[in-house]
């Protein structure tokens, strides 16, 4: 049997890029693949998360050193759980990293409540709770905001374990928080989670700060020797869609945070030993969850096909879920706008119980606009009446949810669209097909039912179901957009350019695809952002922040810039080309030929 493809690990492979930004050789032709081809590529890509380390080039998820650090961090959390007075465990991040921080902090707070323990977990997401449901990329660049939010969350605390997540070791928001922790070692134990080796941390100056992400990491590395700071940064391989850290980055974040908190909680309340062996068993349980999920390649490809069909013909994809699976639906949907330039209506999530079930810090956000309406009632009110066969609806639930309610909802949806599908998780002992489940099966055009054996470790089976659901939804939304032509090779060509990381990524992509020098590519990007045929001195080239603010109000800037570079036409002509051919990939192919 062929071994895994490890091309990306070679020092010659895209040497200027950190792992999280490299393009994955496995998915180079994903834009030309069929639905099943896409799923197989995603399977191979996700499989890279659990590959063993070869020499010492990269630490991996299962590397001994990573496992050891997980144990040490869990011990710090255990101390706080045993003596919670004036103490806190804070999980923080931007975009997907912040959303996963929220999901994990909420789950474990609930668990503490269930056993009558006081809550010690808290989450921070750049941009506040609105960023849970929509893309808020600008606050990610704000180191001062990160520090202020952390300070506020920890007011009066005497002991804090701070876990900051930045998949690319790049977000200034998180760097600002880590810097703050390092300045107050009497209170804070800083922990950094990300998926690049430390020396690949971003070294770009941060506005208003004397530090860069890399210099913060260097300070942490020094303290790590005496276990006063911790860095957990295994490489999980390049993302299937270059730079899309919502995928493997988000999955691996979920795994690492849950392993730390699960093992700490088991040690604090059940006297379970906190050892490397136990920690490794937890990690392997997640590997198993990935394998079980992808054993359903055909069924997953049916869902990808349905989503692609809907998106291609201007239809919508709606995730209607219950409990934390619904939260994963909300998260997945929120990421399609920045990644694929999608409209909020293209892929939407809804959760039974709305904001009460979401239980976020800031409570209901409905007043922020229609894209913040997330309950099933809202779906009935604002989406169902206009639902047609062009739209796809996906039910997300487990055997512990109210199947009567699921069946009732399925019935109402089925009256309007035949593209109704289900993802359903159930425990191993629960094989009896209930009448209600049969009703749901009959209403759906496909149902992906996964029966899970009881896990060997103490890991909650729900956390495996969640990871599985995350992989499925990422496959559906990514695959759907690939089929819609939103990806060229394995690059997001319609990415939003709303923070400095995304701006740099866009400029690099333009260079790669057009072959023109950096300055010319940036110029084209700015023409597209400012909608100006001629750049004036009023637009200073170096003010990336101003550019990202301006880009907030624009769509399709990267495709426009690319057409400008490839055809040398005017902005007006480029715009009209895009009007005539809205399938971005086709435009790129035509221009390149
Ligand atoms: C944070 C993040 C991603 C998002 C997008 C912009 O990245 O918001 O979650 O998908 O790429 O950046 P990171 O700090 O975790 O690397």
């Amino acid at each position: 049997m062929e071994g895994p493809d490890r091309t990306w690990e070679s020092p010659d492979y895209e040497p200027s890029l950190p792992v999280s930004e490299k393009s994955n050789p496995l998915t180079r032709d994903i834009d030309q693949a069929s639905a099943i081809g896409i799923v197989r590529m995603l399977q191979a890509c996700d499989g890279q998360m659990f590959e063993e380390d070869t020499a010492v080039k990269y630490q991996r998820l299962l590397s001994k050193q990573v496992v050891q650090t997980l144990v040490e961090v869990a011990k710090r959390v255990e101390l706080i759980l045993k003596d919670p007075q004036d103490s806190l465990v804070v999980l923080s991040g931007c975009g997907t990293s912040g959303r996963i921080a929220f999901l994990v902090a909420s789950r474990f707070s609930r668990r503490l409540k269930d056993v009558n323990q006081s809550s010690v977990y808290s989450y921070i997401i750049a941009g506040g709770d609105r960023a849970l449901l929509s893309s808020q990329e600008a606050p990610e660049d704000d180191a001062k905001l990160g520090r202020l939010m952390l300070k506020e969350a920890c007011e009066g605390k005497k002991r804090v374990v701070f876990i900051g997540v930045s998949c690319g070791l790049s977000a200034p928001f998180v760097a600002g928080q880590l810097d703050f922790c390092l300045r107050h070692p009497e209170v804070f134990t800083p922990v950094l989670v990300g998926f690049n080796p430390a020396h690949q941390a971003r070294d770009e100056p941060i506005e208003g700060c004397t530090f860069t992400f890399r210099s913060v990491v260097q300070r942490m590395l020094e303290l790590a020797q005496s276990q006063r700071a911790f860095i957990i940064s295994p490489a999980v391989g390049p993302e299937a869609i270059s730079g899309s850290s919502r995928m493997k980055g988000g999955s691996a974040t979920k795994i690492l945070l849950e392993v730390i908190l699960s093992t700490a909680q088991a040690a604090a309340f059940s006297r379970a030993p906190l050892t490397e062996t136990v920690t490794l068993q937890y990690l392997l349980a997640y590997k198993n969850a990935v394998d079980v999920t992808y054993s359903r390649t055909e069924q997953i490809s049916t869902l990808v096909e349905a989503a692609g069909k809907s998106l291609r013909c201007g239809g919508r994809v709606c995730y209607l879920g219950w409990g934390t699976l619904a939260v994963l639906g909300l998260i997945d949907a929120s990421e399609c706008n920045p990644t694929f330039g999608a409209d909020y209506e293209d892929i939407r999530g809804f959760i039974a119980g709305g904001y009460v079930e979401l239980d976020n810090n800031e409570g209901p956000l409905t007043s922020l606009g229609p894209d913040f309406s997330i309950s099933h009632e809202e779906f009935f009110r604002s989406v169902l009446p206009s639902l047609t066969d062009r739209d796809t609806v996906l039910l997300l639930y487990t055997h512990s949810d109210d199947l009567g309610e699921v069946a009732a909802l399925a019935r109402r949806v089925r009256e309007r669209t035949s593209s109704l599908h289900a993802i359903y998780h159930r425990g191993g002992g629960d094989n009896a097909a209930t009448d209600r489940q049969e009703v749901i099966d009959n209403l759906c055009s496909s149902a992906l039912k996964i029966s899970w054996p009881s896990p060997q470790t103490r890991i909650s089976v729900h956390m495996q179901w969640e990871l599985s659901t995350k992989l499925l939804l990422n496959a559906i939304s990514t695959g759907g957009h690939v089929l819609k032509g939103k990806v060229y090779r394995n690059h997001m060509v319609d990415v939003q350019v709303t923070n400095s990381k995304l701006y740099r990524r866009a400029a690099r992509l333009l260079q790669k695809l057009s072959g023109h020098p950096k300055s010319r590519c940036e110029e084209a990007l700015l023409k597209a952002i400012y909608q100006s045929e001629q750049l004036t001195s009023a637009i200073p080239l170096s003010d990336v922040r101003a550019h990202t603010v301006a880009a907030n109000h624009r769509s399709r800037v990267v495709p426009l810039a690319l057409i400008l570079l490839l055809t040398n036409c005017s902005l007006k002509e480029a715009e009209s080309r895009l009007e005539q051919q809205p399938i971005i990939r086709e435009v790129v192919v035509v221009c390149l030929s």
Side-chain angles (χ1 to χ4, degrees):
M1 211 176 103
E2 258 183 64
D5 180 322
R6 308 191 77 143
T7 317
W8 68 269
E9 289 183 53
S10 153
D12 305 327
Y13 186 76
E14 301 182 349
S16 63
L17 296 179
V19 179
S20 62
E21 291 287 326
K22 288 185 199 289
S23 63
N24 199 316
L26 293 173
T27 54
R28 197 171 286 140
D29 299 322
I30 197 167
D31 60 338
Q32 291 169 54
S34 60
I36 189 134
I38 292 172
V39 177
R40 291 207 177 107
M41 286 182 192
L42 296 181
Q43 173 177 19
C45 237
D46 280 328
Q48 290 177 325
M49 282 195 285
F50 298 98
E51 275 169 14
E52 282 171 22
D53 46 1
T54 39
V56 275
K57 177 96 179 111
Y58 290 114
Q59 275 184 29
R60 310 301 300 268
L61 210 50
L62 302 177
S63 299
K64 188 167 175 60
Q65 208 180 331
V66 170
V67 174
Q68 279 171 344
T69 315
L70 287 171
V71 172
E72 288 310 320
V73 174
K75 282 182 183 162
R76 305 302 154 113
V77 175
E78 181 195 1
L79 289 178
I80 287 187
L81 288 167
K82 283 182 169 162
D83 180 12
Q85 181 84 19
D86 298 327
S87 300
L88 208 56
V89 176
V90 180
L91 312 181
S92 173
C94 312
T96 305
S97 305
R99 294 176 196 123
I100 299 292
F102 158 74
L103 181 75
V104 175
S106 312
R107 149 168 309 282
F108 282 87
S109 295
R110 225 170 276 175
R111 276 198 181 185
L112 286 181
K113 214 169 170 189
D114 290 345
V115 289
N116 288 325
Q117 298 289 332
S118 34
S119 173
V120 298
Y121 302 119
S122 138
Y123 71 90
I124 298 176
I125 179 164
D129 278 0
R130 62 167 65 212
L132 294 173
L133 305 170
S134 67
S135 119
Q136 306 289 328
E137 313 283 6
E140 180 172 330
D141 277 344
D142 197 337
K144 191 170 158 211
L145 179 68
R147 186 183 70 217
L148 289 177
M149 285 180 82
L150 179 60
K151 218 171 143 192
E152 196 182 298
C154 301
E155 201 67 69
K157 299 295 175 195
K158 298 208 169 77
R159 201 168 39 151
V160 177
V161 172
F162 171 77
I163 309 184
V165 185
S166 179
C167 296
L169 304 192
S170 59
F173 183 88
V174 174
Q177 296 178 320
L178 291 169
D179 171 72
F180 180 71
C181 295
L182 291 169
R183 286 172 199 270
H184 298 90
E186 67 293 352
V187 175
F188 291 93
T189 304
V191 182
L192 168 61
V193 170
F195 304 101
N196 285 322
H199 69 272
Q200 290 183 355
R202 191 174 175 195
D203 208 18
E204 193 175 322
I206 298 175
E207 200 179 281
C209 299
T210 52
F211 54 84
T212 65
F213 206 110
R214 192 176 300 172
S215 72
V216 169
V217 169
Q218 272 153 0
R219 280 153 67 202
M220 286 185 72
L221 280 173
E222 277 162 35
L223 290 182
Q225 290 172 6
S226 50
Q227 302 205 324
R228 283 178 292 156
F230 299 91
I231 298 181
I232 307 170
S233 63
V236 290
E239 296 288 354
I241 304 300
S242 311
S244 185
S245 54
R246 76 188 195 104
M247 303 182 80
K248 281 197 274 192
S251 302
T253 299
K254 184 171 176 342
I255 294 170
L256 291 174
L257 296 182
E258 287 175 357
V259 169
I260 294 170
L261 302 197
S262 302
T263 51
Q265 220 143 293
F269 305 125
S270 315
R271 295 173 183 226
L274 228 172
T275 63
E276 286 173 38
T277 313
V278 169
T279 300
L280 192 59
Q281 278 169 359
Y282 271 80
L283 290 169
L284 291 173
Y286 285 101
K287 178 180 185 309
N288 183 50
V290 175
D291 293 342
V292 169
T293 306
Y294 279 113
S295 65
R296 308 303 186 86
T297 329
E298 299 270 348
Q299 286 163 295
I300 306 173
S301 74
T302 303
L303 298 174
V304 169
E305 188 72 62
K309 204 165 153 207
S310 288
L311 293 175
R312 262 196 316 255
C313 65
R316 294 162 287 184
V317 177
C318 295
Y319 303 143
L320 295 183
W322 282 259
T324 49
L325 301 194
V327 178
L328 288 159
L330 292 167
I331 293 178
D332 186 84
S334 74
E335 296 161 342
C336 293
N337 164 272
T339 314
F340 304 110
D343 189 76
Y344 85 90
E345 290 213 82
D346 291 350
I347 298 203
R348 276 185 84 173
F350 296 91
I351 179 168
Y355 284 98
V356 173
E357 181 66 25
L358 192 66
D359 198 18
N360 53 316
N361 284 344
E362 295 170 32
L365 303 172
T366 332
S367 61
L368 294 177
D371 36 339
F372 291 89
S373 295
I374 56 168
S375 66
H376 286 183
E377 285 73 27
E378 280 297 336
F379 168 80
F380 288 133
R381 202 183 55 77
S382 63
V383 180
L384 189 73
S386 59
L387 213 63
T388 71
D389 264 336
R390 288 195 312 176
D391 304 307
T392 291
V393 173
L394 181 59
L395 308 171
L396 308 168
Y397 61 102
T398 75
H399 73 158
S400 37
D401 294 311
D402 181 344
L403 294 194
E405 204 182 302
V406 181
L409 195 147
R411 233 177 255 117
R412 289 180 72 176
V413 171
R414 188 63 182 79
E415 281 167 16
R416 312 221 48 121
T417 177
S418 56
S419 188
L420 172 65
H421 305 262
I423 292 176
Y424 167 53
H425 299 280
R426 62 187 174 199
D430 177 53
N431 281 326
T434 63
D435 294 349
R436 283 182 173 140
Q437 185 51 46
E438 255 177 65
V439 171
I440 301 167
D441 285 352
N442 291 336
L443 288 164
C444 288
S445 48
S446 86
L448 203 171
K449 290 184 265 182
I450 309 186
S451 290
W452 295 82
S454 301
Q456 308 282 304
T457 56
R458 283 167 174 270
I459 185 181
S460 132
V461 71
H462 270 93
M463 295 195 289
Q464 290 184 305
W465 298 354
E466 284 172 13
L467 179 64
S468 171
T469 306
K470 177 182 181 298
L471 300 177
L472 294 169
L473 297 179
N474 287 170
I476 291 164
S477 56
T478 302
H481 280 103
V482 170
L483 293 174
K484 189 183 177 181
K486 285 290 193 173
V487 166
Y488 176 70
R489 287 194 217 137
N490 51 8
H491 298 287
M492 10 173 163
V493 261
D494 204 0
V495 63
Q496 296 277 38
V497 190
T498 38
N499 68 35
S500 60
K501 177 179 81 175
L502 301 174
Y503 179 89
R504 301 268 178 240
R505 186 185 294 160
R508 259 196 330 264
L509 179 63
L510 292 172
Q511 264 178 277
K512 181 171 179 171
L513 299 185
S514 73
H516 287 302
K518 188 169 171 241
S519 55
R520 178 131 181 238
C521 293
E522 282 201 40
E523 201 179 298
L525 189 57
L526 294 181
K527 281 184 181 171
I529 291 176
Y530 292 100
Q531 305 235 289
S532 155
E533 298 281 1
Q534 213 59 55
L535 290 179
T536 65
S537 54
I539 305 170
L541 276 178
S542 59
D543 193 351
V544 173
R545 200 170 117 77
H547 308 329
T548 57
V549 171
N552 228 328
H553 311 289
R554 299 267 175 263
S555 59
R556 300 190 296 182
V557 290
V558 182
L560 268 179
L562 189 60
I563 299 173
L564 289 179
L565 288 164
L566 293 176
T567 65
N568 232 342
C569 66
S570 68
L571 195 61
K572 256 207 153 51
E573 278 170 293
E575 274 168 352
S576 110
R577 265 184 189 242
L578 268 183
E579 281 312 314
Q580 284 159 25
Q581 177 52 281
I583 301 179
I584 308 273
R585 184 183 174 276
E586 303 296 311
V587 184
V588 179
V589 169
V590 170
C591 291
L592 278 171
S593 62

